[in-house]
Amino acid sequence: MTFLLLLLVAVAVAALLLARRSRSSAAPRPPGTAGLDEEVAERPEVDPAAVAAARARISADVPDEVLSDALLDATPKQLASMLAAVPAEVMAGAVGRPTGAGAAQPQQASREDLASLKKVSESVDDLEIWSFGDKK
């Protein structure tokens, strides 16, 4: 009798696991980037419906290219959740639209500054640490 009861419990657990697995596999999964070499591998296509679903949940400030790349490893719901945690000013700065008091455009370096940086660069190149034991 105990054996029959244990067998019945094992069958019920197996049925529950199979039901859960079939429900989770029914949802579309992102293509993933595991093993994707940016230099030579072709990037998988992202479903346009996934981009549209993500766009509906995410700020219009985020470019579609960024959404497509992120959707290679996350579902639209996961992506919306991740990006919702990013403060608005951080997101604006990340996409090149600074806001608030520090929103001034970055200043272009003057010719004097560039000349000074070039001198510093040449000085660093002349340091002995770059010789690696090659004495001539």
Side-chain angles (χ1 to χ4, degrees):
M1 185 67 161
T2 306
F3 176 72
L4 190 58
L5 187 58
L6 287 174
L7 182 63
L8 185 60
V9 168
V11 169
V13 168
L16 286 173
L17 290 175
L18 284 174
R20 176 181 274 177
R21 183 177 295 174
S22 67
R23 268 188 269 141
S24 67
S25 65
R29 294 186 145 197
T33 56
L36 184 63
D37 184 354
E38 302 256 350
E39 296 287 328
V40 295
E42 186 174 322
R43 297 179 72 75
E45 289 294 318
V46 176
D47 183 16
V51 176
R55 174 58 61 211
R57 297 176 175 186
I58 297 170
S59 166
D61 289 339
V62 180
D64 283 345
E65 296 82 23
V66 173
L67 289 180
S68 294
D69 280 352
L71 288 170
L72 290 174
D73 287 314
T75 65
K77 185 177 180 180
Q78 291 170 329
L79 184 58
S81 175
M82 287 186 290
L83 293 180
V86 179
E89 60 273 0
V90 172
M91 182 62 74
V95 297
R97 297 184 190 141
T99 60
Q105 293 296 324
Q107 293 181 354
Q108 198 70 9
S110 68
R111 289 183 189 262
E112 295 81 23
D113 292 339
L114 292 175
S116 175
L117 287 173
K118 185 172 183 176
K119 288 179 187 174
V120 170
S121 171
E122 290 169 354
S123 297
V124 169
D125 288 343
D126 292 338
L127 290 175
E128 287 219 10
I129 62 169
W130 304 117
S131 68
F132 298 107
D134 295 337
K135 301 281 183 185
K136 290 186 181 179

